Amino acid sequence: MQKSYITSKTSLPKSFGDSFLELEKGKGVFLWDKGGKKYLDFGSGIAVNSLGYSNKGILSAIRRQSKKIIHTSNLYTSEPTTRLAKELTSLGEFDAVHLGNSGTEANEAAIKFARLYSLSKKGKGHTKLLSFEGAFHGRTLGALTLTPTPKYKDPFGPLLPDCYTIAPNDIELLKNTLDDSFAGIIIEPLQGEGGLNSFDPAFIQVLNELCKSLDIILIADEVQTGLGRTGSMFASELVGLKPDIITLAKPLGGGLPLSATLIPQKINDLLKPGHHGSTFGGGPLTSAVALEVMKVVNDKTFLKGVTDKGDYLVQQLDLLKQDYSCLGQTKGMGLLRGIELDETKAGFTIAELIGEARNQGLLILRCGSNVIRLAPPLVITVKEIDQALALLRTSLNNLTNGGLT
Ligand code: PLP
């Protein structure tokens, strides 16, 4: 078997680890490393590359737009940017969209907008923000404050004041916590990094109602779940969440950095020049590529395909589970799926499984403490799903010395 091309000792910071698989090129749902080894990609650059690699539409949008103009700044605009803004806002009852560069930035904008609204409507002191245990909202200081996992935030305090976290799905706790001093609540309709945890429909319903009655801005962080990943443009639609603001990023720019914070009229009406901005956000090149992504993804047949392929993937995971007692519950929606691994029962770690899968030519992810995460490009075929499951089975066999656990 060809060995993976691993680079160690780079000048990249230690926060990224100390050895890397060095990738050279990609086509469709496959990647090749520097040594020429081929991989089936079930990670999509952490749920980014929804159209796979070397997508013709994306490449031609880059060629076309880069010959015209690449960057304008927010002092000016361009046709791709205004067209994209129109398309994104028409996805719901939104009046405008702030375009930024990353998921964390999209959430920073959302936090600022929620506070602006609350302070101007409800007055001084109405600045509290709420998030849920298991959430991941990003690494800049505001989004980080709302990301409760201690290992991400503890070394960097003091963080943003007036931020609270409660357990998901506890309706009484939610009712006892909230009052009108809260400016905003941020929630992932399906927690991505936290372990593909979902929320109970009854909890979501109470959350919607309380936000409405207390005039709290409800923010759906759809950075990972949005734009087709779950088989719907927004996972919020699938779980009954009624957000005022939706944040998007990962797949939006087709691999280029681009994020969106979709806002309603009641917030847009309060915004004044200087309140928020971004030098790079929503430039002509990234916007032109995003229009290409939207053209493919914002299509009923395409989204139905994602749902069907996601259902097929989870059926296959359930079959695999029958042969390995170390595998537990399957989780997720659409093509953001996972399966729990009991490391003690298995006798190997998720990191070791990810390593062995890579040896076999399959790239997979982890999330939470014990979940193997599968997030292939949305253009994956059923045949390629079968191929991935066969590689995963071989990897499990190898780690259990050929025996089924
Ligand atoms: N929100 C969610 C739900 C995410 O999954 C992520 C990244 O994984 C972020 C925010 C942060 O996005 P970025 O890394 O682009 O800043």
Side-chain angles (χ1 to χ4, degrees):
M1 190 195 308
Q2 201 178 358
K3 274 182 76 176
S4 299
Y5 193 97
I6 305 289
T7 298
S8 49
K9 267 202 170 179
T10 67
S11 300
L12 295 165
K14 288 194 169 64
S15 44
F16 291 117
D18 50 18
S19 68
F20 298 85
L21 175 62
E22 202 174 325
L23 295 171
E24 193 160 74
K25 61 178 185 182
K27 187 149 185 58
V29 297
F30 294 96
L31 285 161
W32 283 263
D33 72 16
K34 207 178 162 191
K37 183 175 163 71
K38 184 179 177 184
Y39 303 88
L40 177 53
D41 180 21
F42 264 58
S44 306
I46 322 186
V48 167
N49 299 311
S50 59
L51 306 190
Y53 301 88
S54 303
N55 175 275
K56 279 198 183 125
I58 290 182
L59 294 184
S60 82
I62 291 174
R63 267 194 299 270
R64 216 173 39 239
Q65 187 57 43
S66 58
K67 282 186 201 155
K68 292 185 188 168
I69 185 164
I70 292 176
H71 172 74
T72 57
S73 89
N74 288 175
L75 294 175
Y76 316 99
T77 191
S78 65
E79 194 259 350
T81 306
T82 53
R83 203 144 64 84
L84 177 66
K86 193 161 183 215
E87 282 205 22
L88 286 171
T89 49
S90 70
L91 292 173
E93 286 173 22
F94 302 108
D95 195 45
V97 57
H98 170 78
L99 296 167
N101 308 283
S102 64
T104 199
E105 271 182 77
N107 289 335
E108 292 293 330
I111 296 166
K112 284 176 70 178
F113 297 158
R115 283 211 169 150
L116 175 73
Y117 177 82
S118 186
L119 285 167
S120 71
K121 294 287 167 191
K122 297 191 275 188
K124 203 171 166 218
H126 295 80
T127 50
K128 290 182 187 161
L129 298 165
L130 185 76
S131 64
F132 296 99
E133 283 168 14
F136 185 86
H137 297 299
R139 297 178 190 276
T140 49
L141 289 177
L144 185 64
T145 312
L146 296 165
T147 296
T149 310
K151 72 170 177 187
Y152 296 137
K153 66 198 292 187
D154 281 359
F156 305 106
L159 300 178
L160 205 64
D162 264 359
C163 290
Y164 301 84
T165 298
I166 62 168
N169 295 326
D170 188 334
I171 292 177
E172 279 318 299
L173 179 60
L174 183 71
K175 284 183 178 166
N176 292 336
T177 304
L178 291 183
D179 57 41
D180 82 341
S181 65
F182 278 83
I185 299 179
I186 187 164
I187 175 171
E188 292 164 86
L190 170 69
Q191 290 184 336
E193 301 302 307
L196 302 179
N197 307 313
S198 47
F199 288 83
D200 298 339
F203 182 82
I204 294 281
Q205 202 187 324
V206 174
L207 183 63
N208 289 333
E209 287 164 6
L210 285 172
C211 284
K212 206 158 183 208
S213 63
L214 298 168
D215 207 7
I216 298 169
I217 297 296
L218 184 53
I219 304 161
D221 177 347
E222 296 240 21
V223 165
Q224 187 156 166
T225 52
L227 302 175
R229 173 59 57 191
T230 62
S232 177
M233 282 308 272
F234 301 128
S236 294
E237 293 162 353
L238 299 177
V239 302
L241 190 71
K242 306 247 180 287
D244 300 287
I245 295 180
I246 294 184
T247 59
L248 300 167
K250 289 181 181 284
L252 180 59
L256 298 180
L258 180 63
S259 66
T261 306
L262 289 157
I263 57 172
Q265 188 174 354
K266 65 182 180 183
I267 288 178
N268 198 23
D269 284 348
L270 297 172
L271 285 171
K272 294 192 171 54
H275 273 160
H276 202 52
S278 168
T279 299
F280 292 113
L285 181 65
T286 48
S287 297
V289 174
L291 284 167
E292 245 350 272
V293 174
M294 293 281 286
K295 197 163 84 189
V296 177
V297 169
N298 191 15
D299 174 88
K300 276 200 178 107
T301 312
F302 183 85
L303 293 171
K304 167 89 170 52
V306 173
T307 305
D308 292 347
K309 289 181 286 187
D311 290 346
Y312 181 76
L313 173 58
V314 88
Q315 277 163 21
Q316 298 309 303
L317 287 173
D318 277 326
L319 286 178
L320 188 69
K321 187 171 113 176
Q322 289 175 10
D323 292 334
Y324 299 91
S325 64
C326 58
L327 295 178
Q329 202 192 331
T330 50
K331 307 177 94 174
M333 294 182 211
L335 283 171
L336 182 56
R337 294 286 180 176
I339 186 161
E340 290 172 349
L341 177 83
D342 182 331
E343 292 182 335
T344 315
K345 242 187 205 172
F348 55 85
T349 63
I350 293 192
E352 284 167 325
L353 179 61
I354 290 173
E356 180 54 23
R358 187 178 66 197
N359 291 339
Q360 296 304 319
L362 173 69
L363 300 184
I364 55 175
L365 305 168
R366 73 175 298 162
C367 59
S369 58
N370 65 343
V371 179
I372 303 158
R373 179 173 33 158
L374 304 174
L378 304 183
V379 293
I380 195 89
T381 62
V382 166
K383 196 170 147 212
E384 287 153 352
I385 292 175
D386 286 339
Q387 218 175 318
L389 265 291
L391 292 169
L392 194 54
R393 186 178 280 279
T394 307
S395 311
L396 287 162
N397 275 346
N398 288 354
L399 288 167
T400 54
N401 297 320
L404 305 184
T405 67

